[in-house]
Amino acid sequence: MKYIKKFETLQLQDTPTVGGKNSSLGQMIADLSSQGVQVPTGFAVTAQAYWYYINHNNLLDDMKKIMSELKDYKQAALLSSVGKKIRALIVQGDMPDDLVEEIKKAYDQLCKHYDQEECDVAVRSSATAEDLPTASFAGQQETYLNIRGYESLIESCKKAMASLFTDRAIAYRIEQGFDHFKVALSVGVQKMIRSDLATAGVAFSLDTESGFKDVIVIDSSFGLGESIVKGEVIPDEFVVHKPTLKKGFASIVKRSLGKKDRKIVYSDNKKEPTKTIPVSDEQRCQFSLTDSEVLELSRLIVIIEDHYSQLKGSWSPMDIEWAKDGQDGKLYILQARPETVHSSKKENGFLTHYKLKEKAPQAFLSGQSIGQKIASGTARIIESADNIDQVQEGDILVTDMTDPDWVPAMKKAAGIVTNRGGRTCHAAIVSREMNLPAIVGAQGATEVIKQGQKITIDCSQGKVGFVYDGEFSFEKKELDIKNISTNIVKPDVMVNIADPDAAFVVAALPQDGVGLARLEFIINNSIEIHPLALVHPEKIQDEKTKKRIEDITCAYDDKKKFFVDTLACGVGTLAAAFWPKPVIVRLSDFKTNEYRNLIGGSYFEAEEENPMLGFRGASRYYSEQYKDAFALECAALKKVREVMGFENVKIMVPFVRTIKEAQQVLEVMKEFGLERGKDKLEIVMMCEIPSNVILIDEFSKLFDGFSIGSNDLTQLTLGVDRDSGQLAHLFDERDPAVKKMLAMAVEGALASKKYIGICGQAPSDLPEIAQFLIEHGISSISLNADSIVPFLKRYKK
């Protein structure tokens, strides 16, 4: 056939003829089918067919004449008018008879291949300049789903050709320097996968926000994948660590249950071949993929990334659309194209960080953070594309969801907030390309935010973005890390971290691993529930608390498994970010008042006069009162090491008062599957009580090393309550008694040939304490993330 190419005959070098999408599909079918990558087949209507159609209908002169009206593409109304006229011109043309016959013949062969009469196909555009390394055309052209029969197929092919002139495609070509009339469009016709009966989504072979290379991010929702791309749902999100996955481990380091209240499915109406229906309450509380499916899909993504990287000769992160067929239960790859935002960035030796200059009030709205920046301005609420001209330079665009027609307005905006969508929806993808901060999935944004309100959007704090009332000043810091290495000082320079969402960014700093990973943040923010409330739900009496627990844990029948999985994912993310460097995870060290603040906590915690010196740290772990909860913590850490494969995780026991207590804790940990020395497990102890220093020789026989907690050691050496404002002037790590304790701890550990570091606040705040410890031969210094570069610069010659 002259104008038709079957997918299985295509390779990447055919891009000028069939466009990026189609050539990529052919390459995968040819090269990766034998490795288990299943791609539904189909055919391409070539770029030559596009020109044949245009010339057959004598459209080119009229198209150029209409395009000449576009004097300023930033005028949204004019751009929209020009695009609409050209699209209408193309769609109204007649398909040449011989081209019609070729399309029919190829469709018949496809139907025969799948043993179906009028099989269901997706009709997609595939621009010949699309998916090139420097140009992403995401969402610029249309896709037509569940197309059946000759008439619908021919009409959809014409519409796909016309979509070369959507508003965004026109604007993008102008910006990128592409000639409108030298870029052609091929049409891909691909057998559909019945994900309307199952699930579908988008995946990236890197972290879309930080560019971190070692993970796969999968977004998933019920029904056809268009609901994710169009931002109609907040999808489930899964993150998988590639290096440990390749070693055979089940390294899912994040499972986030989305808000999947609707799905797109097939309809019986040929004019409207798909429809949106509500998702059942039962399905809303279910993950849309099982763990085994997440891992299987991740392995496919690794195969695809490795293959394209080999073809390119360098790392090629991928943007992939996938679907699960509800009839055969199998996973299919629908599209794969190079990711263009992070892969095109060049390393310049700078890390950019945004930070509010002043303490903002409590956020009144939050959603998923895109862009790691801060912006402030006037909120401009726009309900439809007809009103995008209202957006002024520097406004914060607030809307339900964007689509390609909104791009001119997005270019004027300082930031974007949407009601719906996830990290792979149109608003998120385009915001990244435009280097704009955005908060997507901020439910109720268009109702809560008022027209003309001054607001600040903060995307600098991790995966959650916050909206504040008012305009707040912020600073942009560029950290110069060129030629900065931790080798310039003798001890290892490690980092203190609590928030898994910040891990991929912090890991880019010069560091030798994590000296303190705090579990409290994960328990407080991701779990929220007192562990004993999940072990003994029968003790919770009030209905309000019961409902809160059920709402948070609804995806789990086994509520204890919710705690274990969530904690394991948080720790796993930290371990993945710094892999294979050591990550020292401190067992939970909440005080009683902090445990009481967890949901259901008041049923299990007493009110203590001085929680700092109360039922905390090691004393909890072996007590009959708390032991069942500690078992969940141990199960999570065991999962991180043995199931996820993160052998770089070491465990640290806090607030060990006596030798006997140390022995009791180690015995309980062994009972729960965490045995020192087994599977290379190292257990270290916080050295933060004077008894730890005095008896460091004895403690050295029980542990693999120590980490000084300077906050508690100062408190207990000087007898100063560190929470007391009245005594704040007495709390000083530079006091001679505290320095003597620090020196004794370091010297004692080294004499016993044990590792000893420090993870307290002192070296971050007090350079002289850091220098004092270095002179005494400390093994490592663990600093807060914002202190690492200034610390290293002090020692750089």
Side-chain angles (χ1 to χ4, degrees):
M1 289 183 279
K2 187 176 179 181
Y3 298 108
I4 302 293
K5 299 278 188 185
K6 290 187 177 181
F7 284 169
E8 46 266 46
T9 68
L10 299 175
Q11 291 191 315
L12 289 179
Q13 55 261 41
D14 295 308
T15 298
T17 303
V18 298
K21 282 194 187 87
N22 291 335
S23 63
S24 180
L25 288 169
Q27 188 81 47
M28 285 193 293
I29 291 170
D31 294 351
L32 302 181
S33 297
S34 61
Q35 296 184 56
V37 178
Q38 298 187 86
V39 179
T41 193
F43 58 90
V45 182
T46 64
Q48 284 75 12
Y50 167 82
W51 288 120
Y52 180 31
Y53 177 84
I54 297 294
N55 293 329
H56 175 80
N57 289 280
N58 297 312
L59 299 178
L60 195 57
D61 288 343
D62 288 340
M63 291 163 65
K64 288 181 176 179
K65 185 178 178 182
I66 296 169
M67 186 60 73
S68 69
E69 298 172 13
L70 188 62
K71 305 300 183 188
D72 181 2
Y73 74 97
K74 292 182 179 179
Q75 291 184 23
L78 180 59
L79 176 63
S80 176
S81 170
V82 166
K84 200 174 288 183
K85 286 179 190 175
I86 296 178
R87 292 195 300 274
L89 193 69
I90 295 172
V91 170
Q92 288 163 12
D94 295 319
M95 191 74 80
D97 290 342
D98 55 341
L99 181 52
V100 168
E101 289 308 310
E102 285 198 13
I103 293 172
K104 284 181 178 180
K105 183 179 178 181
Y107 179 62
D108 287 341
Q109 290 173 350
L110 187 63
C111 292
K112 186 178 180 182
H113 178 82
Y114 284 98
D115 196 22
Q116 290 181 14
E117 193 174 319
E118 289 198 342
C119 72
D120 50 331
V121 294
V123 179
R124 292 188 176 92
S125 62
S126 183
T128 54
E130 187 176 23
D131 302 325
L132 299 178
T134 56
S136 166
F137 283 61
Q140 288 181 25
Q141 285 93 36
E142 297 297 328
T143 296
Y144 304 94
L145 303 175
N146 189 25
I147 303 303
R148 298 170 185 266
Y150 298 149
E151 186 180 340
S152 296
L153 177 57
I154 300 298
E155 190 63 23
S156 297
C157 286
K158 289 162 64 175
K159 288 179 181 176
M161 289 176 176
S163 73
L164 188 58
F165 291 89
T166 60
D167 297 357
R168 187 185 176 207
I170 295 169
Y172 200 89
R173 283 196 295 272
I174 293 170
E175 289 167 351
Q176 296 294 322
F178 290 107
D179 186 326
H180 297 295
F181 305 105
K182 287 186 179 175
V183 174
L185 187 141
S186 169
V187 178
V189 178
Q190 185 179 35
K191 174 68 176 71
M192 281 198 68
I193 297 304
R194 292 303 302 269
S195 63
D196 61 309
L197 305 174
T199 184
V202 178
F204 285 85
S205 65
L206 82 174
D207 178 57
T208 51
E209 294 313 301
S210 65
F212 182 68
K213 296 180 177 183
D214 281 348
V215 291
I216 292 161
V217 178
I218 298 170
D219 278 3
S220 171
S221 192
F222 295 114
L224 301 177
E226 287 294 289
S227 63
I228 294 178
V229 178
K230 290 183 175 178
E232 292 192 5
V233 297
I234 299 173
D236 297 337
E237 185 170 279
F238 306 91
V239 179
V240 179
H241 184 239
K242 287 186 282 192
T244 43
L245 177 76
K246 289 178 179 180
K247 290 186 171 189
F249 291 101
S251 47
I252 301 172
V253 299
K254 182 178 181 181
R255 275 181 213 82
S256 175
L257 188 68
K259 293 179 174 64
K260 312 176 294 292
D261 58 347
R262 63 189 80 177
K263 62 181 176 180
I264 300 175
V265 298
Y266 284 11
S267 78
D268 296 326
N269 182 351
K270 278 201 170 184
K271 290 186 178 178
E272 297 288 341
T274 63
K275 60 184 179 181
T276 301
I277 63 171
V279 169
S280 68
D281 290 341
E282 183 183 2
Q283 271 197 320
R284 289 183 199 190
C285 274
Q286 293 174 353
F287 285 111
S288 48
L289 286 173
T290 64
D291 282 2
S292 60
E293 288 168 341
V294 170
L295 294 169
E296 180 187 349
L297 181 57
S298 297
R299 292 184 195 104
L300 299 177
I301 292 164
V302 166
I303 290 169
I304 294 167
E305 182 187 64
D306 286 350
H307 184 68
Y308 278 80
S309 298
Q310 188 177 6
L311 290 173
K312 182 182 174 186
S314 61
W315 178 55
S316 179
M318 300 300 291
D319 170 357
I320 291 166
E321 291 182 31
W322 61 271
K324 178 186 173 184
D325 194 301
Q327 293 178 327
D328 65 18
K330 293 178 181 178
L331 291 166
Y332 293 85
I333 302 300
L334 308 181
Q335 285 189 50
R337 52 183 170 254
E339 187 273 350
T340 57
V341 175
H342 292 286
S343 60
S344 61
K345 286 182 180 175
K346 292 182 179 176
E347 299 289 338
N348 61 3
F350 285 89
L351 291 177
T352 305
H353 178 65
Y354 285 72
K355 188 177 181 180
L356 289 169
K357 283 186 177 178
E358 54 195 305
K359 185 172 174 58
Q362 181 144 358
F364 68 90
L365 190 66
S366 65
Q368 293 192 58
S369 165
I370 308 296
Q372 300 181 340
K373 294 183 176 182
I374 300 173
S376 59
T378 303
R380 193 69 58 199
I381 300 170
I382 303 294
E383 294 182 357
S384 78
D386 295 337
N387 303 320
I388 60 175
D389 273 347
Q390 295 175 14
V391 178
Q392 304 299 310
E393 289 288 339
D395 282 351
I396 306 293
L397 171 60
V398 182
T399 187
D400 188 51
M401 174 46 59
T402 66
D403 64 33
D405 291 340
W406 291 68
V407 169
M410 295 170 78
K411 288 181 184 300
K412 294 180 184 177
I416 298 164
V417 183
T418 68
N419 290 333
R420 299 183 287 116
R423 289 208 284 161
T424 51
C425 70
H426 177 267
I429 290 170
V430 176
S431 294
R432 284 188 204 100
E433 289 180 0
M434 293 183 177
N435 222 11
L436 286 176
I439 299 175
V440 298
Q443 293 178 294
T446 51
E447 297 173 9
V448 176
I449 299 172
K450 305 304 178 191
Q451 189 73 271
Q453 181 180 357
K454 302 291 186 183
I455 61 173
T456 298
I457 65 171
D458 183 0
C459 300
S460 69
Q461 298 185 49
K463 298 293 169 65
V464 179
F466 301 96
V467 184
Y468 304 110
D469 181 20
E471 290 185 286
F472 294 89
S473 57
F474 58 89
E475 59 186 357
K476 174 186 175 182
K477 283 188 175 180
E478 287 199 331
L479 291 176
D480 182 359
I481 59 171
K482 290 194 302 290
N483 306 317
I484 291 185
S485 165
T486 58
N487 294 331
I488 60 179
V489 289
K490 190 172 182 183
D492 288 341
V493 178
M494 305 177 87
V495 65
N496 300 331
I497 193 165
D499 182 2
D501 286 346
F504 297 154
V505 173
V506 173
L509 293 167
Q511 41 71 28
D512 296 309
V514 174
L516 171 63
R518 301 180 180 94
L519 294 188
E520 297 82 23
F521 186 94
I522 302 167
I523 295 170
N524 236 336
N525 292 274
S526 299
I527 296 172
E528 302 181 61
I529 304 163
H530 195 292
L532 287 173
L534 302 173
V535 176
H536 298 294
E538 73 282 357
K539 293 188 178 181
I540 306 297
Q541 299 300 312
D542 67 291
E543 294 303 317
K544 186 178 178 183
T545 301
K546 285 181 182 178
K547 186 177 186 308
R548 285 184 73 191
I549 292 172
E550 181 55 37
D551 288 346
I552 292 169
T553 63
C554 71
Y556 288 82
D557 294 328
D558 181 347
K559 305 306 181 186
K560 290 184 285 187
K561 190 173 187 299
F562 162 78
F563 185 97
V564 172
D565 282 1
T566 308
L567 186 57
C569 280
V571 175
T573 298
L574 297 176
F578 295 89
W579 171 268
K581 296 174 183 175
V583 173
I584 301 174
V585 178
R586 186 181 68 187
L587 297 169
S588 61
D589 191 24
F590 280 125
K591 287 72 179 174
T592 336
N593 56 323
E594 294 165 334
Y595 269 117
R596 277 183 67 85
N597 288 334
L598 294 172
I599 297 169
S602 60
Y603 289 94
F604 303 99
E605 300 292 339
E607 293 192 54
E608 291 185 308
E609 287 296 323
N610 189 348
M612 278 284 186
L613 297 179
F615 187 40
R616 62 173 284 202
S619 60
R620 279 186 170 265
Y621 309 147
Y622 60 86
S623 73
E624 289 305 316
Q625 179 183 334
Y626 192 76
K627 189 177 174 183
D628 289 346
F630 184 59
L632 302 184
E633 206 167 305
C634 290
L637 291 169
K638 183 176 167 68
K639 181 173 185 177
V640 168
R641 285 181 51 84
E642 297 178 11
V643 178
M644 297 180 178
F646 294 113
E647 290 185 348
N648 58 327
V649 167
K650 303 179 182 185
I651 299 174
M652 182 154 65
V653 185
F655 222 75
V656 184
R657 292 173 168 96
T658 67
I659 296 293
K660 183 180 179 182
E661 189 165 69
Q663 292 167 337
Q664 287 174 293
V665 169
L666 291 171
E667 194 57 41
V668 170
M669 290 177 71
K670 182 178 178 181
E671 180 187 335
F672 293 143
L674 296 174
E675 182 178 356
R676 180 185 166 214
K678 186 179 179 184
D679 298 322
K680 302 177 184 175
L681 172 62
E682 292 184 27
I683 300 178
V684 300
M685 187 187 89
M686 288 287 290
C687 183
E688 54 190 342
I689 303 173
S691 63
N692 302 154
V693 179
I694 294 165
L695 295 178
I696 198 152
D697 294 349
E698 296 301 310
F699 281 111
S700 291
K701 296 170 185 174
L702 300 173
F703 294 95
D704 295 294
F706 302 93
S707 185
I708 297 168
S710 57
N711 298 344
D712 272 322
L713 189 59
T714 303
Q715 170 177 250
L716 297 170
T717 299
L718 299 179
V720 175
D721 182 347
R722 73 187 207 212
D723 282 348
S724 169
Q726 279 186 307
L727 301 178
H729 64 287
L730 293 173
F731 188 93
D732 189 346
E733 295 94 332
R734 294 166 296 188
D735 185 275
V738 179
K739 289 177 74 174
K740 182 150 191 176
M741 279 288 181
L742 293 172
M744 287 171 62
V746 174
E747 290 162 5
L750 295 177
S752 297
K753 295 184 170 51
K754 296 290 182 176
Y755 157 91
I756 184 162
I758 185 167
C759 61
Q761 191 67 27
S764 288
D765 294 344
L766 305 168
E768 57 266 54
I769 291 293
Q771 183 60 34
F772 175 80
L773 292 166
I774 290 171
E775 290 169 0
H776 279 77
I778 197 162
S779 310
S780 74
I781 293 178
S782 195
L783 304 162
N784 297 335
D786 58 0
S787 300
I788 284 184
V789 172
F791 172 82
L792 290 171
K793 281 188 173 180
R794 283 202 298 270
Y795 291 93
K796 186 182 176 186
K797 294 177 182 178

